[in-house]
Amino acid sequence: MDLRRVSNSWEKSKVALLVLILTASCLLQGCGGLRGGGQLAPHKLQGSHQIMSPKLHGSCIASPQNPLRWGVDRAKADELGCFNRHLAEFPGSWESTELPGEIANRSAVENSTIMFYDSVTGRPLFEAPKGRTWSEFHRESTVHGWPSFRDDEVIGENVRVLADGEVVSLAGTHLGFNVPNRGNRYQINVVSIAGKPNDPNGPNGPN
């Protein structure tokens, strides 16, 4: 048996599998505008690709906070939030963070919500659940594989949806994509929204 041939074949198989996973992830996230997420977003949320122009740290104004909430991977937050426009974290990876535990705790408190902050700037981006129950928010996020937000849960002052459906913060952090499903559904990487409330006197300025 030619071990070199077997080794090369295995390496090619691994590359093909990785490409398949990344492509599936990209399609699920709605990249490339296949689902019309940009045009279907509310007019006030529609933004220009100029938002993602190069800055001090990729598309971001700085590197992600350290540490981030829920024990998320800061290196992954940096990669996906500041140096990426299309790829996503693996489906279901948010469930291995401490976020599900916080959801369980908050759901026991009447009328409670969680505010999700930009992992770079600490500015508020989403607040959930609003207009639905904790169970509905958790179930939708679990079924689709990423934290999923609806129009009422978007903090419009800090979030924009670009023409291809890409969802970004006004500071240039890539967040995810709008993948409409019975209305707009903003499918977001947890590593991009695991920031802590910004210190108004800190380097990134006020919220």
Side-chain angles (χ1 to χ4, degrees):
M1 179 182 294
D2 189 336
L3 294 180
R4 287 177 300 177
R5 182 174 297 177
V6 171
S7 177
N8 288 339
S9 177
W10 170 237
E11 289 300 321
K12 289 179 180 178
S13 296
K14 288 196 295 183
V15 171
L17 178 60
L18 179 59
V19 170
L20 179 62
I21 290 172
L22 293 177
T23 300
S25 176
C26 186
L27 290 175
L28 283 168
Q29 279 279 62
C31 58
L34 296 179
R35 301 174 187 266
Q39 291 72 30
L40 294 175
H43 182 72
K44 66 179 182 179
L45 293 182
Q46 294 180 18
S48 165
H49 280 275
Q50 291 283 358
I51 296 170
M52 301 300 284
S53 61
K55 302 180 184 67
L56 292 176
H57 190 76
S59 64
C60 300
I61 63 174
S63 59
Q65 297 175 353
N66 189 21
L68 293 168
R69 296 161 79 193
W70 309 309
V72 307
D73 187 334
R74 183 174 182 266
K76 184 62 67 176
D78 193 38
E79 173 192 348
L80 293 180
C82 299
F83 297 94
N84 163 64
R85 300 292 303 278
H86 302 295
L87 300 181
E89 59 198 5
F90 284 107
S93 60
W94 75 275
E95 295 182 76
S96 65
T97 72
E98 297 167 11
L99 177 55
E102 181 165 354
I103 289 175
N105 291 335
R106 294 291 187 93
S107 64
V109 180
E110 187 176 1
N111 297 323
S112 64
T113 62
I114 292 178
M115 187 71 79
F116 296 82
Y117 298 92
D118 190 323
S119 291
V120 174
T121 66
R123 294 172 182 166
L125 302 176
F126 303 94
E127 183 180 6
K130 298 186 75 174
R132 56 178 172 167
T133 66
W134 275 112
S135 177
E136 290 168 334
F137 169 70
H138 184 264
R139 182 169 60 251
E140 183 168 63
S141 298
T142 300
V143 167
H144 292 287
W146 290 269
S148 295
F149 303 92
R150 295 293 181 167
D151 285 332
D152 289 344
E153 296 166 332
V154 180
I155 307 299
E157 293 83 359
N158 298 319
V159 176
R160 290 294 180 269
V161 183
L162 308 187
D164 62 354
E166 183 184 6
V167 183
V168 304
S169 77
L170 272 176
T173 307
H174 171 82
L175 305 177
F177 279 85
N178 180 24
V179 186
N181 178 9
R182 299 178 185 175
N184 293 304
R185 181 172 61 81
Y186 307 97
Q187 195 163 281
I188 305 299
N189 295 316
V190 71
V191 296
S192 296
I193 54 172
K196 298 178 181 179
N198 189 41
D199 177 359
N201 298 314
N204 293 332
N207 288 340

